Each structure stands twice: as structure tokens, then as C-alpha cells.
Amino acid sequence: MKNVLLVCGQGVSSQLFLGEAKRAAETQRVALHFTATSLMEVTPALLAEQDLVLLAPQVAYQAKMRAKIGDQVPTAMIPNDIYGWLNSQALVKFACHQLNFVPAAVAVAY
């Protein structure tokens, strides 16, 4: 099981995405565990539990966010087309691609 943290500015949009991402991972039988938080709630302890941090586009470019995460965990910005449509199936594929994690159910390249 790989842990993936979704981070947005206030935590609202990442929480909206969270339920759908969990359902998509479960439906596709992908061993990903999604959690979500706001930028302000990111802590070193929380980061230590993650295999991947996915940033909402609005926080991805913030120097504060990059400094907070540093090199502790692989980090990527959720593409606008995935984030804007809250496309949870594409998010699962994107997370798998970022993790070089290719379960049989998600063998299609992102």
C-alpha cells in the first residue's frame, strides 16, 4: 500500500477530491491510500508517512510549500485537467505513474 497526500490551500478542494480518489482506487483495485490536508496542516511527521505528495495547482508554485516539503518525499503538481474536473480515475493513474507503481488494473499509461 502506497500513501498519497493531497494538499491544497485551505483543504476544501483536497477533501472534495479525497472521497472520489479513494473510491476510484478501490474500484480499480489499486493499493493506494489517499489522505488530504491543507497547506497549513502539513507537518514533518505527516510527510514522513507519505510515499507521494500531490499538490493542487494553486499551491504547487508557492515557495513556502516547496520549502516545507523539501526533499523529504516525492512531490508533483496535479495537472490542471485532472484537478479542474476532479477526475479521480485520472488522479489514480497519475499517482501510479509518479510512483512508478503499475498494478495490473492501471496498466494504461497516463
Side-chain angles (χ1 to χ4, degrees), residues 8-54:
C8 73
Q10 300 298 318
V12 176
S13 57
S14 61
Q15 288 296 327
L16 288 172
F17 221 158
L18 179 62
E20 292 301 316
K22 285 182 175 183
R23 278 188 280 286
E26 184 178 311
T27 301
Q28 296 176 29
R29 295 186 184 115
V30 178
L32 294 177
H33 178 260
F34 287 95
T35 54
T37 192
S38 70
L39 175 61
M40 294 300 136
E41 295 173 343
V42 173
T43 64
L46 180 60
L47 292 174
E49 299 171 353
Q50 306 307 314
D51 296 298
L52 176 65
V53 174
L54 295 178

